[in-house]
Each structure stands twice: as C-alpha cells, then as structure tokens.
Amino acid sequence: MTSEAVAPRTRLSGNTRGAFWLLISSLLFTAMTLLVKLLGSYSPAMQAVWTQSAGLLLFLPVILSSRGAVLVLHGWPAQIGRSISAVLGVTLSYYALHHLPLGEANALSFTRALWVGPLAALVLREQVTRASWAALAFGFVGVLLVLQPSPHMTIGWAHLAALASALLLALTVTGIKVLLRRNSLTTIMLWSSILGILFVLPPAILTWRWPSAHDGWLLLLLGMVSVAMSTTYMHAMSLGDAAKIIAVDYVRLPLAIGAGLLVFGTVPSGWMIAGSLLIIVTTVWAAVSGRPARIDPREEPLT
C-alpha cells in the first residue's frame, strides 16, 4: 500500500487537549482546596512555604539528572514577576479558603477568567472570538447565580482576598505563555518553587509553628498535589489558547460544591445548583468547540 493510499490521520486540536489537561488540573485543585481547609489552623503564608518546599523537593531528582542544566532560565524579569504574582495569588487564595465556604471561595476565584481573556489579547496577541467571550460570559452568569449578589451581601476581607488572588493568578497565565517561548515547563516550575519560597518565607516566619507528625504529612501531600495541579494547568495553557480554554476551569465549582457536601456537610442551595449546571454546560461547550486538525501522515502525533 502506497503512502498516498493511507488516509490522513487526525489528532485532537491543541485547544481540545488543553481542555482535557485543564479538567485534570481542576480535579487536583479540588483535592488541594480540601487539604487547605482541613489545615486551616496553619497560616496561609506557612502553608504556602510548605507547598513550595514540597515542590522543590520533587524537582531535586530532575536537577541532579540534568546536572543543573534545567536551572538555566531565559527571561528573568518575566519569571520574577510571574513568581511574585503566583505566590501572592496562592497565599491570598489560601486565606479566602480559610474564611469562606468552598463553593463561595471557588466561585469568586472564577473572576480570574474575566481577566485572562483581555490579558491574552493585550499581552499575547491571541485572537479572542465572540464564541470565547460568550462562553466566559455565560460561565460568569453561573458564578453570579451561585453567589446570589444583593445589596445586603456583606463583602469582607476574605472576599477581597479571593478577588485579588484571581487577578494575580490571571497575570501568571500570561507569564506562563511568555516564558514557554524560551524555557521548558520544568524550568519554569522549578524556579517558581525556589523564588516562591524566598518571597513567602519572611511573612511565614512571623506565624510559624511546627506541625504534628500527622499534619506534617498532610502539608507535604498538599505540596505534592499543588505541584501536580500547577503542572497540569501550565501544560494545558501551553497547548491551547488561554482565552478559549479557560472556561473549562469552571468545572471546579461543582466539584467544590460536591466536596463541601461530602466532607463538611455544606448543603448547596437551589441557586448554587442552577449556577453549577450552567457552568457545566459552558465547560462542555468550550471543550468540544475545537475541531480535530488534519495532519500529514508522515508527521509524528503530539503526545
């Protein structure tokens, strides 16, 4: 059989594969939020130190096997800026999780999606289609249904921390895309852990206390889950257009509602269920909107 007789192979588009990895990241994020909530007796800064340290520990074999080559980084200003935004965003999100129900904290975190689209268009010059904007808008309507905003709603420091965290973490998304042009994902993650420890250690020392053996293992697990979540998230963003696939991130909300019900007995309201259903529809729409791309049969499929 000649090569001409072989039907061209297809592969999933970058946006579809990015949506899949973003879904995996959402599952890991739910596990991370449960651990943060269970370890609420430790300060957010202290939790951040443990998570960053665990991440660095996981990267030690990579550093040794590469003989330090993985430490070579291009674009220090972008990396430093991204690391500051990331560690501040993570610490503020931990604070919000300590003081808000899981569903509410996750709902507020979705305002990040409203920032990612404009930032992607402004910084990365990505094309933001009307369908992408519509998916983000409908998803955010679902978030509003969950929050049930009203003139009587009390806005506290935890709400402001969640909103500020969303903006800072949106900045890290654009930083990922910029840094991946000249660096590997491993190098970015490694320096994020190193710089993250340096940035968050001073405030952590002020509230430091040594954990029990049981809590110590949970803190290490929190760090490992956090690294896996960040890695899958960054990999997703490297595969697809940030503004297009970010709507898949909304699946975190129904997952958080389910986790809150099972672990903490928090019963969701009817508005929360309605908003979650709308978010799920938006997520499916964003995930299947990309069509498979045709490729030459001589090309190797991406893994």
Side-chain angles (χ1 to χ4, degrees), residues 18-204:
F20 169 78
W21 282 107
L22 196 52
L23 179 60
I24 299 298
S25 178
S26 298
L27 294 170
L28 292 169
F29 184 90
T30 302
M32 184 190 73
T33 56
L34 281 174
L35 289 169
V36 169
K37 195 79 171 176
L38 291 171
L39 294 166
S41 61
Y42 300 93
S43 70
M46 182 177 171
Q47 286 183 336
V49 167
W50 277 84
T51 56
Q52 297 293 337
S53 299
L56 182 58
L57 182 64
L58 290 175
F59 279 116
L60 283 180
V62 179
I63 298 175
L64 295 176
S65 62
S66 68
R67 297 182 179 179
V70 72
L71 291 170
V72 178
L73 177 72
H74 303 282
W76 276 102
Q79 178 67 65
I80 292 174
R82 184 201 171 275
S83 296
I84 293 175
S85 297
V87 74
L88 284 177
V90 167
T91 303
L92 289 174
S93 70
Y94 286 0
Y95 178 85
L97 285 167
H98 285 182
H99 296 86
L100 296 175
L102 282 179
E104 188 172 347
N106 275 273
L108 288 174
S109 74
F110 289 127
T111 55
R112 173 177 58 180
L114 298 181
W115 292 106
V116 169
L119 286 173
L122 180 64
V123 179
L124 305 175
R125 300 294 188 268
E126 290 184 359
Q127 183 179 4
V128 184
T129 64
R130 291 181 179 178
S132 297
W133 285 119
L136 295 176
F138 279 116
F140 189 62
V141 169
V143 172
L144 293 179
L145 288 176
V146 173
L147 284 179
Q148 304 175 56
S150 69
H152 305 289
M153 181 179 178
T154 302
I155 303 298
W157 286 112
H159 297 90
L160 296 177
L163 293 172
S165 171
L167 174 58
L168 289 167
L169 293 177
L171 288 174
T172 67
V173 174
T174 58
I176 290 169
K177 301 286 280 189
V178 171
L179 287 166
L180 282 172
R181 295 170 181 170
R182 301 179 62 192
N183 302 278
S184 69
L185 181 60
T186 302
T187 299
I188 297 171
M189 288 294 297
L190 175 59
W191 278 109
S192 293
S193 295
I194 295 173
L195 295 176
I197 293 172
L198 295 177
F199 293 147
V200 79
L201 188 57

